[in-house]
Amino acid sequence: MTEIPLKTPTVHSVVYVGEDCLSLRLPMLTEGQKNFVLTDTNVYALHKAFFDKYFKNDELFVLPAGEENKNFQSLYEILSAMTSAGLLRNSRLFAVGGGVIGDIGGLSASLYMRGISCVQIPTTLLAQVDSSVGGKTAVDLGGVKNIVGAFYQPCEVLVDPSFLKTLPVREIKCGMGEIVKYALLNGKIFDELERNTDKLADLSFLQTLIVSCIQHKANVVQADEKETGERKSLNVGHTTGHAIELAYNLSHGESVLYGAYLETQTAIELGVCDKDYGVRLLRILKTAITVAPYEKQDFSTIANYLIKAKADKKNTQKDKIVMAVAKRKNEWTALELPFEKYAEYIQNATKKL
Ligand code: NAD
Ligand code: GLY
C-alpha cells in the first residue's frame, strides 16, 4: 500500500493506494458508530460482496447511476436519508463510486451537521486518478455542471485498483483522458506516456500511473487548495473540453483529450507553447483520441458551441476566455484570448485533427 499525505489548512488527510488498502483501513474506519454509505446502482450490482463485507451495520443509499442524477433532488434525498438514519457527528460518509458519487457524496458530508467526515472510495479510473482527491464537491444546476458545491476535503481516500476490473472500455478511455491531462503538466508522466503510446488502451499500464497522478494532484492542492493560482493548471484541456462535452456525445475524458489537443495547437500557433515539445504532446494526444471506442467527429460547426466556454469558471472578464495550456515540459501558463480570436483558433485547430 502506498500512502500519499495531503495537508491543507483545514485537513491532514491521506490517500492510500493498493489492493490491500480496503482490508487495512476499512475495519477501523467503520468501527464504533453508524455510518452512511453512498453508491450507485451499477457499482452496487457489480460489487455487492464488498458492501456486504464491510458495511453490514451501516445505512446504504444507492443512487441511480449517471451524471443526470448529480443534482439538487438527489442531494435532498441523500440528506433526508442521512437525517432519518440518525447519524451522529462522529458518523462517516463513505462515497463508493465514480466522480458522480464522489462529488455529491462529498457535498452531502459537508452539509450534514455542518460537516461530517467523508471517506472517498473511487471505483472508476477517472475518480482514482483525479476526482476523489482534492476536495472539490458539487452538484449540477440549471444545465451548468458543478455550479453549486464546496471545497471539502475527505479525511481519507482509499484507492483499490481491483475495482477497475469491472469497468467498461468507454470508462477506461474516459479515465485515460484525465491521465493524459497530467502529461501536459508533469514531465515524468509525459515521458512515461511518450514511451508507451501503444499502451494507452491497456488498463494494466494505465494503473501504473495512478500513484504519480495522485501525487501530482496532491502537490498542487497542497499549494493552492481553493484554486486561486496553481490549481487552475489541473484544468488543462477543460475549457474547450467542457464545451465539447456539452455539444457532442463524448465522455468527459474524451472531451478533455480533444480540448487539450485543440488548445495545445492554439498555444503552439501563438508561440505560447514550445513548438518541439508541443508537437510531441500533440502526438500523444492524437493517439489517445483514436483509442477505441473511437468515432471520427465532425467539428465543422464547433464554433457554434464554443460560446459555452464563456461560462468557464477560470474566466475573469466578460468576452475573454482563459485556458490553462502547456508551455514547455513541467511548465504551464494561463492563456487569455478575446472570445472571437479563441473561437477562430480552435476552429482552425480542428482541421489538424
Ligand atoms: P461516473 O461516476 O458517472 O461513473 C461512470 C460510470 O461508471 C457510471 O455508469 C458508473 O455507474 C460506472 N462505474 C463506476 N465504477 C464502476 C466499476 N468499478 N465497474 C463498472 N462500472 C462502474 O463518472 P466518472 O467518469 O467516474 O466521473 C465523472 C464525474 O466526476 C463528473 O460529474 C465530473 O464533473 C466529476 N469530476 C469531478 C472532479 C473533482 O475534482 N471533484 C474531477 C473530475 C471530474
Ligand atoms: N479536477 C480539477 C481539480 O480538482 O482541481
Side-chain angles (χ1 to χ4, degrees):
M1 179 169 79
T2 305
E3 293 185 31
I4 304 166
L6 198 165
K7 292 185 185 165
T8 70
T10 48
V11 179
H12 287 196
S13 66
V14 182
V15 184
Y16 295 93
V17 187
E19 291 195 353
D20 50 353
C21 72
L22 300 175
S23 58
L24 289 171
R25 297 300 305 163
L26 274 179
M28 71 183 94
L29 288 169
T30 51
E31 195 179 44
Q33 70 282 319
K34 187 174 188 183
N35 300 298
F36 192 82
V37 186
L38 178 68
T39 191
D40 76 21
T41 39
N42 292 337
V43 178
Y44 186 65
L46 290 163
H47 296 279
K48 189 169 179 304
F50 159 78
F51 293 95
D52 292 344
K53 180 172 176 186
Y54 289 109
F55 299 113
K56 52 181 178 305
N57 300 320
D58 299 309
E59 188 73 18
L60 179 71
F61 190 103
V62 184
L63 192 70
E67 178 74 26
E68 65 278 17
N69 298 306
K70 202 176 103 175
N71 59 28
F72 250 99
Q73 181 58 32
S74 303
L75 182 68
Y76 171 80
E77 285 167 18
I78 293 164
L79 289 169
S80 301
M82 290 170 81
T83 307
S84 304
L87 300 186
L88 302 174
R89 198 178 283 284
N90 63 351
S91 298
R92 294 193 171 94
L93 185 149
F94 293 82
V96 187
V100 166
I101 290 300
D103 280 13
I104 197 169
L107 186 58
S108 305
S110 80
L111 292 170
Y112 187 79
M113 287 190 178
R114 301 190 185 91
I116 61 167
S117 293
C118 176
V119 179
Q120 293 279 351
I121 304 182
T123 62
T124 62
L125 185 59
L126 179 141
Q128 295 199 346
V129 297
D130 194 359
S131 65
S132 63
V133 177
K136 277 191 182 176
T137 74
V139 291
D140 307 334
L141 181 66
V144 186
K145 264 181 72 102
N146 300 329
I147 196 67
V148 178
F151 287 97
Y152 191 70
Q153 296 296 338
C155 59
E156 290 194 17
V157 184
L158 307 180
V159 179
D160 178 355
S162 59
F163 276 116
L164 306 177
K165 286 177 194 148
T166 55
L167 211 55
V169 280
R170 186 168 195 258
E171 299 303 336
I172 294 172
K173 182 171 182 182
C174 180
M176 180 267 279
E178 290 287 351
I179 292 178
V180 172
K181 168 188 92 174
Y182 286 101
L184 280 81
L185 306 170
N186 181 300
K188 196 176 135 212
I189 298 173
F190 170 86
D191 289 340
E192 273 300 298
L193 290 180
E194 192 176 51
R195 263 198 302 274
N196 295 282
T197 35
D198 56 327
K199 295 198 188 129
L200 290 176
D202 178 346
L203 182 59
S204 51
F205 165 68
L206 296 171
Q207 278 177 213
T208 64
L209 296 165
I210 291 175
V211 169
S212 308
C213 293
I214 294 173
Q215 185 64 69
H216 182 95
K217 183 159 186 182
N219 293 345
V220 172
V221 171
Q222 287 186 144
D224 176 24
E225 184 186 17
K226 301 277 170 75
E227 199 169 304
T228 54
E230 188 61 26
R231 189 165 181 172
K232 291 183 183 162
S233 67
L234 298 176
N235 290 310
V236 280
H238 282 65
T239 305
T240 308
H242 277 151
I244 290 175
E245 190 177 354
L246 289 167
Y248 296 81
N249 184 26
L250 292 167
S251 73
H252 178 76
E254 283 177 287
S255 307
V256 167
L257 287 171
Y258 279 111
Y261 184 95
L262 301 172
E263 293 177 2
T264 302
Q265 183 70 52
T266 300
I268 295 171
E269 299 275 330
L270 288 167
V272 172
C273 177
D274 172 80
K275 190 161 180 205
D276 290 343
Y277 169 66
V279 168
R280 289 164 71 192
L281 264 180
L282 291 178
R283 217 173 284 137
I284 298 173
L285 288 163
K286 196 156 186 175
T287 311
I289 285 169
T290 51
V291 157
Y294 167 69
E295 215 176 286
K296 193 159 172 49
Q297 298 296 317
D298 175 7
F299 285 123
S300 57
T301 56
I302 195 172
N304 299 338
Y305 304 111
L306 291 175
I307 195 92
K308 295 181 192 300
K310 284 192 179 182
D312 193 277
K313 292 195 274 303
K314 289 185 295 305
N315 299 336
T316 52
Q317 290 188 61
K318 198 170 166 288
D319 294 328
K320 289 210 171 161
I321 303 296
V322 179
M323 296 173 273
V325 295
K327 200 170 172 189
R328 57 181 70 86
K329 207 170 185 182
N330 287 316
E331 206 179 320
W332 71 282
T333 189
L335 171 59
E336 187 172 59
L337 291 176
F339 175 73
E340 301 305 329
K341 197 168 176 190
Y342 159 77
E344 185 189 323
Y345 270 91
I346 295 293
Q347 177 80 70
N348 282 339
T350 62
K351 295 177 190 138
K352 305 259 168 70
L353 266 166

